[in-house]
Amino acid sequence: MKNVSAIGSLLKRIYRIYSNHILSYLQDKGFTDLRPSFLEILIYTCENEGPTIKEIGGACGLKKQTMTSHLNELQKRGYIIRKSSEVDKREQRVYLTEYGEKFKFSLYDVLELIENNYSRRIGEVELERILSTLDNMHDKLNNVERDTLESRIQLNLSLDF
């Protein structure tokens, strides 16, 4: 149990450092109205053209209420706009505004700066190893969640008969 709590604590502290680095550099570029909780949504939206709200929520691990609140704030601050999907009018897609596009270029500059900084401090080989380990851990834990869900569904189906 000690290892699991240490992993969670370290990941949280590392993410806090990472997001503070991003926000600090973005503030230097004039983007002073952002919070750490907005970063994942904005990064995903910058990397994916017109994602649905459901896609963003799934990728960021955020609930619908949180997504709605964050998207409302980001829209109010001028970063994004929501539009109905051409295919399914009930579905909304998220797009960057002109201001959001300016943010995107600054974000990419900041991420490159941070990557170079981390590579210099940690070393490229070590950074790749850490990424590989975390990616592997994510895949395995994600499969556990899926397996657990499938087991519950099968149990419920067997109880129904």
Side-chain angles (χ1 to χ4, degrees):
M1 188 156 84
K2 184 174 146 185
N3 285 337
V4 173
S5 66
I7 290 169
S9 179
L10 280 169
L11 289 173
K12 186 176 182 179
R13 286 186 282 161
I14 290 167
Y15 183 75
R16 194 174 296 133
I17 292 167
Y18 166 76
S19 62
N20 285 337
H21 285 156
I22 292 174
L23 287 175
S24 176
Y25 286 123
L26 286 171
Q27 286 173 351
D28 292 346
K29 292 181 172 283
F31 299 96
T32 59
D33 60 346
L34 294 172
R35 299 191 310 234
S37 56
F38 295 157
L39 284 178
E40 275 190 290
I41 293 170
L42 283 171
I43 290 171
Y44 188 85
T45 304
C46 287
E47 292 175 342
N48 299 277
E49 180 65 28
T52 65
I53 294 172
K54 187 176 181 178
E55 289 168 345
I56 299 169
C60 298
L62 298 172
K63 295 180 181 176
K64 189 174 181 176
Q65 297 98 332
T66 305
M67 282 296 304
T68 300
S69 170
H70 287 354
L71 291 174
N72 286 343
E73 278 298 313
L74 289 169
Q75 190 162 347
K76 188 166 72 174
R77 295 169 192 215
Y79 289 90
I80 61 146
I81 188 163
R82 289 177 275 194
K83 296 179 182 176
S84 293
S85 170
E86 304 264 329
V87 178
D88 182 351
K89 297 294 181 193
R90 298 169 296 172
E91 186 176 69
Q92 286 192 330
R93 295 196 167 270
V94 178
Y95 297 93
L96 296 173
T97 61
E98 187 176 326
Y99 182 68
E101 289 291 336
K102 289 178 185 174
F103 166 81
K104 177 180 175 177
F105 292 113
S106 292
L107 174 67
Y108 287 167
D109 288 344
V110 165
L111 291 175
E112 184 178 349
L113 182 67
I114 288 173
E115 179 148 347
N116 292 335
N117 186 358
Y118 286 14
S119 289
R120 196 175 64 255
R121 286 180 174 207
I122 298 167
E124 284 186 44
V125 172
E126 181 70 7
L127 204 53
E128 283 295 322
R129 190 179 66 77
I130 291 167
L131 180 60
S132 176
T133 300
L134 289 173
D135 195 37
N136 184 34
M137 183 178 179
H138 175 265
D139 287 347
K140 288 180 178 178
L141 292 176
N142 199 32
N143 287 337
V144 167
E145 288 178 18
R146 220 174 323 176
D147 292 345
T148 303
L149 179 61
E150 287 174 9
S151 296
R152 284 187 199 151
I153 291 170
Q154 287 187 358
L155 177 63
N156 286 338
L157 288 175
S158 66
L159 292 175
D160 288 343
F161 291 105

